[in-house]
Amino acid sequence: MFGAFRPSQPSFVGLLWKTPWKLSRTRKANARFRLKRVDSVIEAVEASGVHCAALDKALELPKEHEMPARDKYTVFSKHAKNYRKGIHKVPKWTRLTLRTNPKGF
């Protein structure tokens, strides 16, 4: 217990990174705001007259107001109980496009 190899304080406490099981109001609002900003960037690029494969793919994605809440805040997961998990449980979820999900889930 004592000496050079005693356990550190975090190992006494338990889980080091505590992730809440659901998104707070603030995090949901920030997620919606982020989706709206991406929509505005896509519209601006389209209005500028640029044509590329990435823009064509981005135009196929649903806009923020067209997405149901289920798709805004959760993603498909084959390991989860109801095949859905919160977007905040996905690594780097603020930088990924999570707008598309498998049909029926």
Side-chain angles (χ1 to χ4, degrees):
M1 192 72 161
F2 300 107
F5 300 106
R6 70 176 186 220
S8 62
Q9 194 64 24
S11 64
F12 277 137
V13 175
L15 189 62
L16 185 57
W17 291 286
K18 295 182 169 75
T19 307
W21 66 276
K22 69 176 189 173
L23 287 172
S24 65
R25 285 182 179 176
T26 311
R27 292 182 83 180
K28 281 185 178 183
N30 289 339
R32 284 192 306 272
F33 182 68
R34 195 176 297 110
L35 288 169
K36 289 176 187 174
R37 281 194 317 200
V38 170
D39 290 340
S40 67
V41 168
I42 292 170
E43 290 174 5
V45 171
E46 182 185 19
S48 69
V50 175
H51 295 288
C52 61
L55 180 62
D56 294 337
K57 188 184 286 187
L59 290 172
E60 293 174 1
L61 295 172
K63 297 193 180 295
E64 185 270 335
H65 62 86
E66 297 170 348
M67 295 174 65
R70 180 178 176 183
D71 287 341
K72 284 183 199 177
Y73 310 124
T74 61
V75 292
F76 174 78
S77 172
K78 65 180 181 180
H79 302 293
K81 185 177 180 181
N82 295 325
Y83 300 106
R84 306 291 285 191
K85 70 177 181 180
I87 55 171
H88 63 297
K89 304 266 184 180
V90 177
K92 301 179 183 170
W93 67 276
T94 57
R95 290 176 259 169
L96 298 173
T97 299
L98 302 173
R99 294 180 189 230
T100 57
N101 285 296
K103 300 295 181 201
F105 285 102

